[in-house]
């Protein structure tokens, strides 16, 4: 209806002019003014009718829920695998349950563009990743990998461009569009600590506000993300108070600029504070996989990549950054890596396999900041003598991963990360030898509809090796139930059991002893509620 208003108005004007006798200039102007006023009233009525019709259509729209597999049958490739621990576990956005694709291919989709002022500057809000309008908390909203978010957003922009083109709207340069989105997340938890007292907690575990800026050119876009820090404060060495409610600070999580246009080319480049594309860390669970805790790396980096916009294709990226750890006397641009993969579609079967290499895994978040509040090893970035950024030599690492969707309901994923060489004994040890950290994550998920709501159940098995200094468990079993009762929400219930390293094991980092291994089993039950906007 919106695009028919102008032709209707023009037709009525022409009809009025043809049927009006010309007696005098004054009479003609008077009648023309009256006709214009009448036309304005008619247009106002048509616009009001259009608004009511749009509102009614929105209320009666059929729930557009797409399963994981249909979403992957699009020409839009998956977010390229590569890559929020208290303040860093803030990347919960939306993705299909398998982690393979971020965009829908059918149903009513959210279009964050004000068509009343196409091509003009505006600010809009809502989940910017193009998820289905109805019950967009699925397919399902799980813990999305924050790695390669630049690629995912370029795919979003391509999707917006395609929908605008279908509506006859031409995007113009020299205008900026700001899309606001975010999440609020709460948890209730019960922990049974082996060898220690049980504990319970209610916490706000995440609050994030993202601003995605499209423009001022079709080749430019940028993102900055503000996240909430729920750390305890002085006990973790970050703030002056031990009161969580009094701290509650916001911090800059990500900020980057991207040059690229997937409607024109598969090449792109990004500069800024990002999670570099080492590892994928796709996840169905509430808890972060041990691979992510150990190896995900956030840096101020430059990335160049290639992401073909077809179903079956190879992709890749290169990146470089100034690492925090350094073997020489001074720190400089001394780290980087490569990420390669292949995504494919064969009927109802979809997959993504790949691998990567990083020059020094000691720059990962999990090795820079170990989650403890004691005077033991707190990561290479630990303060007050609990860490040392100058290490004897760099420790490269490899990543191997695979994600498969078997039909419409079953999704499998696996990821393995290992250091390629051992740390020097002065930097990290395991049982008096140089540590060679490794981590494995495997998950299987089944998606179905329960009471007309998208639902999934998933199981997971994780394990590590030589990771005692990082305070990671030796192995982990997980079971989770996810559903989306209301649109743009996710409700999850997870049971997790961790098996810690045996009490006979010892470890050090930066020459400082790590906490003693307990050899006990820890269990946790967590209920999580996410709201996305």
């Amino acid at each position: 209806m919106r695009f028919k208003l102008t032709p209707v108005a023009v037709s009525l004007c022409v009809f009025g002019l043809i049927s009006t006798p010309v007696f005098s200039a004054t009479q003609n102007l008077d009648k023309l003014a009256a006709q214009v006023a009448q036309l304005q009233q008619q247009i106002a009525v048509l616009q009001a009718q259009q608004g009511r019709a749009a509102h009614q259509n929105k209320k009666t729209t059929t729930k557009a829920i797409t399963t994981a597999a249909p979403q992957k049958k699009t020409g839009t490739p998956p977010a390229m695998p590569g890559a929020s621990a208290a303040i860093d576990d803030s990347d919960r956005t939306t993705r299909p349950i398998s982690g393979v694709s971020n965009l829908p291919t059918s149903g009513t989709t959210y279009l964050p563009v004000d068509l009343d002022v196409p091509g003009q500057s505006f600010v809009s809000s809502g989940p910017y990743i193009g998820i289905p309008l109805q019950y967009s908390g699925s397919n399902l909203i799980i813990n999305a990998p924050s790695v390669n978010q630049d690629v995912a957003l370029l795919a979003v922009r391509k999707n917006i461009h395609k929908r605008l083109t279908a509506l006859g709207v031409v995007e113009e340069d020299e205008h900026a569009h700001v899309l606001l989105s975010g999440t609020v997340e709460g948890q209730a938890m019960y922990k049974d600590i082996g060898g220690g007292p049980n504990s319970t907690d209610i916490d706000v575990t995440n609050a994030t506000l993202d601003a995605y800026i499209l423009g001022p050119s079709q080749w430019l876009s940028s993102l900055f993300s503000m996240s909430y820090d729920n750390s305890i404060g002085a006990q973790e060495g970050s703030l002056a108070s031990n009161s969580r409610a009094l701290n509650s600070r916001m911090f800059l999580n990500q900020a980057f600029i991207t040059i690229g246009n997937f409607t024109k080319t598969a090449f792109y480049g990004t500069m800024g504070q990002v999670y570099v594309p080492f590892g994928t860390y796709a996840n169905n669970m509430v808890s972060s996989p041990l691979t992510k805790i150990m190896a995900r790396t956030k840096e101020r980096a430059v990335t160049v990549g290639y992401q073909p916009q077809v179903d079956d294709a190879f992709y890749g990226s290169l990146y470089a950054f100034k690492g925090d750890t350094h073997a020489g006397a001074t720190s400089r641009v001394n780290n980087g890596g490569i990420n390669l993969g292949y995504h494919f579609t064969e009927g109802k079967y979809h997959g993504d396999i790949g691998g990567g290499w990083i020059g020094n895994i000691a720059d990962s978040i999990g090795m820079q900041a170990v989650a403890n509040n004691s005077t033991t090893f707190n990561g290479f970035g630990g303060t007050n003598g609990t860490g040392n950024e100058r290490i004897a030599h760099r420790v490269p690492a490899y990543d191997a991963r695979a994600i498969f969707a078997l039909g419409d309901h079953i999704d499998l994923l696996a990821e393995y990360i290992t250091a390629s060489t051992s740390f020097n004994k002065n930097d990290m040890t395991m049982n008096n030898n140089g540590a060679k950290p490794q981590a494995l994550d495997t998950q299987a998920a089944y998606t179905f509809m329960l009471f007309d709501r998208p639902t999934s159940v998933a199981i997971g098995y994780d394990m590590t090796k030589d990771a005692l200094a990082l305070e990671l468990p030796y192995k982990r079993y997980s079971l989770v139930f996810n559903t989306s009762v209301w649109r743009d929400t996710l409700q999850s219930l997870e049971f997790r059991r961790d098996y810690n390293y045996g009490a006979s094991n010892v470890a050090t980092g930066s020459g400082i002893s790590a906490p003693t291994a307990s050899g006990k089993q820890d269990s946790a039950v967590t209920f999580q509620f996410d709201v996305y906007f």
Side-chain angles (χ1 to χ4, degrees):
M1 178 67 72
R2 179 175 296 169
F3 300 101
K4 295 182 179 179
L5 290 178
T6 300
V8 169
V10 173
S11 299
L12 290 172
C13 287
V14 173
F15 178 81
L17 291 174
I18 293 175
S19 61
T20 303
V22 182
F23 293 106
S24 66
T26 302
Q27 289 176 322
N28 195 24
L29 289 174
D30 290 342
K31 289 185 178 182
L32 181 59
Q35 290 169 351
V36 169
Q38 184 179 8
L39 287 172
Q40 289 175 338
Q41 292 178 349
Q42 293 173 342
I43 290 173
V45 171
L46 289 172
Q47 288 176 331
Q49 293 173 345
Q50 177 194 13
R52 288 193 296 270
H55 179 70
Q56 185 65 25
N57 288 338
K58 182 177 179 180
K59 291 174 62 179
T60 58
T61 299
T62 302
K63 298 172 184 177
I65 303 175
T66 55
T67 59
Q71 286 196 342
K72 301 161 198 165
K73 295 177 183 177
T74 175
T76 302
M80 182 170 58
S84 273
I87 67 173
D88 292 300
D89 199 9
S90 53
D91 60 345
R92 299 176 190 272
T93 56
T94 55
R95 71 166 182 85
I97 210 163
S98 68
V100 175
S101 172
N102 278 342
L103 299 175
T105 60
S106 63
T108 304
T109 54
Y110 177 79
L111 182 62
V113 173
D114 185 354
L115 295 178
D116 287 332
V117 285
Q120 304 301 311
S121 299
F122 67 89
V123 176
S124 179
S125 64
Y128 51 63
I129 44 83
I131 53 182
L133 182 64
Q134 296 291 332
Y135 290 94
S136 52
S138 73
N139 214 2
L140 295 158
I141 302 174
I142 311 296
N143 303 333
S146 51
V147 178
N148 289 308
Q149 198 165 18
D150 51 352
V151 176
L153 292 176
L154 284 176
V156 169
R157 188 167 190 181
K158 176 189 172 185
N159 185 48
I160 293 173
H161 176 80
K162 289 172 63 178
R163 289 181 57 76
L164 287 176
T165 301
L167 292 171
V169 179
V170 178
E171 289 188 273
E172 299 179 5
D173 282 343
E174 301 180 358
H175 294 284
H177 310 292
V178 181
L179 308 182
L180 299 178
S181 186
T183 181
V184 177
E185 174 187 286
Q187 285 186 1
M189 177 181 290
Y190 167 82
K191 290 183 179 180
D192 182 6
I193 307 299
N198 299 337
S199 65
T200 58
D201 195 11
I202 297 174
D203 196 8
V204 178
T205 49
N206 185 27
T208 297
L209 178 64
D210 296 338
Y212 179 38
I213 300 96
L214 293 78
S217 165
Q218 295 184 34
W219 289 87
L220 291 175
S221 60
S222 56
L223 175 84
F224 71 86
S225 176
M226 300 297 296
S227 296
Y228 148 78
D229 177 3
N230 73 328
S231 66
I232 298 175
Q235 292 183 19
E236 297 182 3
S238 59
L239 298 170
S241 171
N242 288 328
S243 169
R244 293 185 304 189
L246 293 180
N247 288 329
S248 302
R249 65 171 181 171
M250 297 294 291
F251 67 97
L252 182 67
N253 190 32
Q254 294 189 83
F256 58 82
I257 301 169
T258 299
I259 300 175
N261 186 338
F262 279 172
T263 65
K264 305 291 185 181
T265 179
F267 292 95
Y268 66 93
T270 297
M271 172 181 281
Q273 182 164 297
V274 299
Y275 294 98
V276 300
F278 177 72
T280 300
Y281 320 118
N283 189 27
N284 297 290
M285 305 296 167
V286 171
S287 303
S288 296
L290 299 181
T291 50
K292 172 183 169 182
I293 298 174
M294 186 181 79
R296 190 175 63 154
T297 305
K298 180 167 66 175
E299 294 289 348
R300 294 173 183 175
V302 173
T303 303
V304 293
Y306 174 70
Q307 184 79 27
Q309 300 298 290
V310 293
D311 285 339
D312 305 315
F314 289 96
Y315 59 84
S317 62
L318 296 168
Y319 56 94
F321 59 90
K322 176 183 177 180
D324 293 303
T325 58
H326 51 92
T330 59
S331 177
R332 54 176 59 90
V333 176
N334 59 0
N335 205 349
I338 183 172
N339 177 56
L340 298 172
Y342 179 77
H343 56 79
F344 60 90
T345 299
E346 185 64 39
K348 287 189 174 183
Y349 298 93
H350 313 268
D352 192 301
I353 57 176
W357 172 86
I358 192 169
N360 186 11
I361 196 175
D363 287 326
S364 71
I365 296 173
M367 295 192 183
Q368 284 291 308
V370 175
N372 70 54
N373 56 14
S374 66
T375 57
T376 57
F377 177 59
N378 267 306
F380 296 114
T383 60
N384 300 321
T386 61
N388 187 357
E389 295 286 20
R390 185 170 182 179
I391 59 178
H393 61 79
R394 305 193 318 156
V395 180
Y398 296 102
D399 164 72
R401 60 185 182 268
I403 301 175
F404 299 103
L406 308 179
D408 297 342
H409 301 286
I410 299 175
D411 297 284
L412 307 174
L413 66 88
E415 185 162 26
Y416 174 67
I417 291 176
T418 180
S420 64
T421 187
S422 299
F423 278 91
N424 184 278
K425 289 184 178 181
N426 293 323
D427 299 323
M428 187 183 298
T429 67
M430 181 71 182
N431 294 327
N432 300 316
N433 295 312
K436 186 180 179 182
Q438 303 172 47
L440 171 70
D441 173 46
T442 60
Q443 298 181 29
Y446 180 76
T447 308
F448 57 98
M449 299 298 292
L450 180 65
F451 302 114
D452 199 30
R453 298 295 187 268
T455 305
S456 76
V457 292
I459 58 174
Y461 171 74
D462 288 24
M463 66 167 292
T464 67
K465 183 179 179 182
D466 285 6
L468 176 58
L470 305 177
E471 296 197 37
L472 297 179
Y474 169 65
K475 60 182 177 180
R476 167 179 292 176
Y477 295 95
S478 304
L479 174 65
V480 71
F481 173 86
N482 296 298
T483 191
S484 180
V485 178
W486 299 280
R487 169 184 159 184
D488 298 335
T489 70
L490 177 69
Q491 297 78 43
S492 303
L493 181 64
E494 178 196 72
F495 172 78
R496 184 190 78 212
R497 172 160 289 183
D498 291 343
Y499 292 78
N500 296 304
Y501 284 89
S504 61
N505 292 283
V506 293
T508 65
S510 296
I512 306 167
S513 296
T516 304
S518 68
K520 305 290 185 179
Q521 301 176 17
D522 300 337
S523 299
V525 178
T526 305
F527 172 75
Q528 179 172 288
F529 197 115
D530 294 88
V531 175
Y532 300 85
F533 61 90

